Amino acid sequence: MKFADTLKTLPEFSGETLVLSDSAGAEIATIANAPGTAGSFRVYAYLVQEYGMINAEAAAEGLAIFAEHTEDASRHPGKHPNIDRLIAILATGIPLKARIV
């Protein structure tokens, strides 16, 4: 299934920004609920709802959700930073906490 189709099956979430932090609480990144990043916001919010954090299991599901964009991200590191982050979590096993503000 393509990313756009899968995205339609995920719940919608309110909030302006999803804040990602490491285990010490240091902010790592933010994902805005705005044009250009609203899809990533929705995927990450869904993963946090399902797993409580972005761990390796959540990252694997997230990469499956991103579908065709995951392959593009693998070929072009830096082009899809929110997917790159999931790839890194899957590779290292180091989870991130997340909260919506």
Side-chain angles (χ1 to χ4, degrees), residues 2 18 29 31-32 40-41 47 50 52 54 57 69-70 78 88 92 94:
K2 292 193 177 247
L18 187 135
I31 303 172
S40 290
F41 175 91
L47 295 173
E50 293 297 307
I54 308 296
E57 188 177 5
H69 299 298
T70 298
T92 65
I94 300 172

Side-chain angles (χ1 to χ4, degrees), residues 38-95:
S40 290
F41 175 91
R42 195 166 175 179
V43 170
Y44 272 75
Y46 165 75
L47 295 173
V48 171
Q49 176 186 8
E50 293 297 307
Y51 297 93
M53 66 176 64
I54 308 296
N55 58 18
E57 188 177 5
E61 183 172 355
L63 293 172
I65 292 169
F66 278 114
E68 72 275 9
H69 299 298
T70 298
E71 186 176 330
D72 190 49
S74 295
R75 286 193 216 143
H76 304 99
K79 184 176 178 182
H80 303 280
N82 295 319
I83 299 172
D84 294 342
R85 189 174 304 108
L86 295 177
I87 292 169
I89 291 168
L90 191 59
T92 65
I94 300 172

Side-chain angles (χ1 to χ4, degrees), residues 3-24:
F3 174 65
D5 297 328
T6 304
L7 190 62
K8 292 175 188 175
T9 69
L10 300 179
E12 293 191 29
F13 295 89
S14 60
E16 293 182 22
T17 306
L18 187 135
V19 179
L20 296 163
S21 58
D22 65 15
S23 61

